[in-house]
Amino acid sequence: MFSYRHGFHAGNHADVLKHVVLVQMLQYLTAKDAPLWFVDTHAGAGAYSLEGAFAQKKGEYRDGIGRLWGRKDAPRAVSEYLHAVERNNPDGELRRYPGSPQIALQMLRRQDRLQLYELHTTESKLLRMHFAAAGRRVSVQAADGFAGLKAVLPPASRRGLVLVDPSYEDKADYGKVVAGLRDALKRFATGVYAVWYPQVQRQEAQDLPGRLRQLAAGDWLQASLTVKAPAGDGLGLHGSGMFIVNPPWKLAATLREALPWLVRALGQDRRAGFKLHCEQR
Ligand SMILES: C[S@@+](CC[C@H](N)C(=O)[O-])C[C@H]1O[C@@H](n2cnc3c(N)ncnc32)[C@H](O)[C@@H]1O
């Protein structure tokens, strides 16, 4: 079993980018009354303490959500993301960070459904506990999210947002993401897919966005946020990206406003920057 626990990283710069994009996509996709299915193939524990030993060990959140907390000058997409985090910290002190399942729960409606997969035994137990009172619209599976996609797509509602967010601790994840997306698009071509990817010094990571573009049939968006120069020792995460297939059409304009602000807020050196590319039919 792998050792990755998202609690060490919750609220870091990569979570900020991922969850800013997620909040916007959930907002666009819930603008219509028709039911939406949210599928999280790599759900994590659902929500995280920022005061506990995991988050405090390296304090990654301090260079992520910590830098944004209390900022009143954020562009709309970032302030809506901050609002989603604030709902977990009602006294105004930053103590808890919502994972993607919790953000989705907050934003989805009674007619929507959450389908969550988490393979790590401890994390899946925490996830199940977190959603114990959420009722039947939330399904938590202690199972492989890539296999789960085959079972769940296409969703009964024919409207779906799929978040694919592996840790890539196992380098086989890069190939699994490509194969999983290829298969998912055959089952459900009109679904909206969001793949998170790391900026690390590994060939597979550099090749991944190009491989995803080839699958996306001319309707995709790619947004990346680099916070610092790659480390001299070849290790560490210097940024991350989100690759969206069938993106909501306003997302590009929204991110064009948000990303430069995020670079200024989260950038750690002169190599900080963003990229935004899209091709939309
Ligand atoms: C980056 S974390 C997820 C964070 C979460 N999506 C969020 O944004 O709050 C990745 C999670 O995937 C889990 N995982 C790894 N391989 C998996 C697989 N094949 N299927 C389901 N979960 C997996 C890990 O245990 C870890 O909790």
Side-chain angles (χ1 to χ4, degrees), residues 6-13 49-67 94 228 268:
H6 195 66
F8 288 107
H9 313 287
N12 69 3
H13 60 83
S49 164
L50 296 178
E51 297 177 314
F54 279 15
Q56 289 296 325
K57 186 162 183 211
K58 289 194 182 155
E60 289 186 23
Y61 75 92
R62 290 192 196 104
D63 276 331
I65 182 66
R67 288 189 181 205
L94 179 60
K228 58 185 174 187
Q268 298 177 27

Side-chain angles (χ1 to χ4, degrees), residues 2 4 6 18-19 41-44 99-100 118-120 143-145 165:
F2 33 71
Y4 182 91
H6 195 66
K18 180 196 340 175
H19 295 152
T41 59
H42 296 70
S100 48
E118 171 53 51
L119 198 50
H120 193 288
D144 176 12
D165 182 25

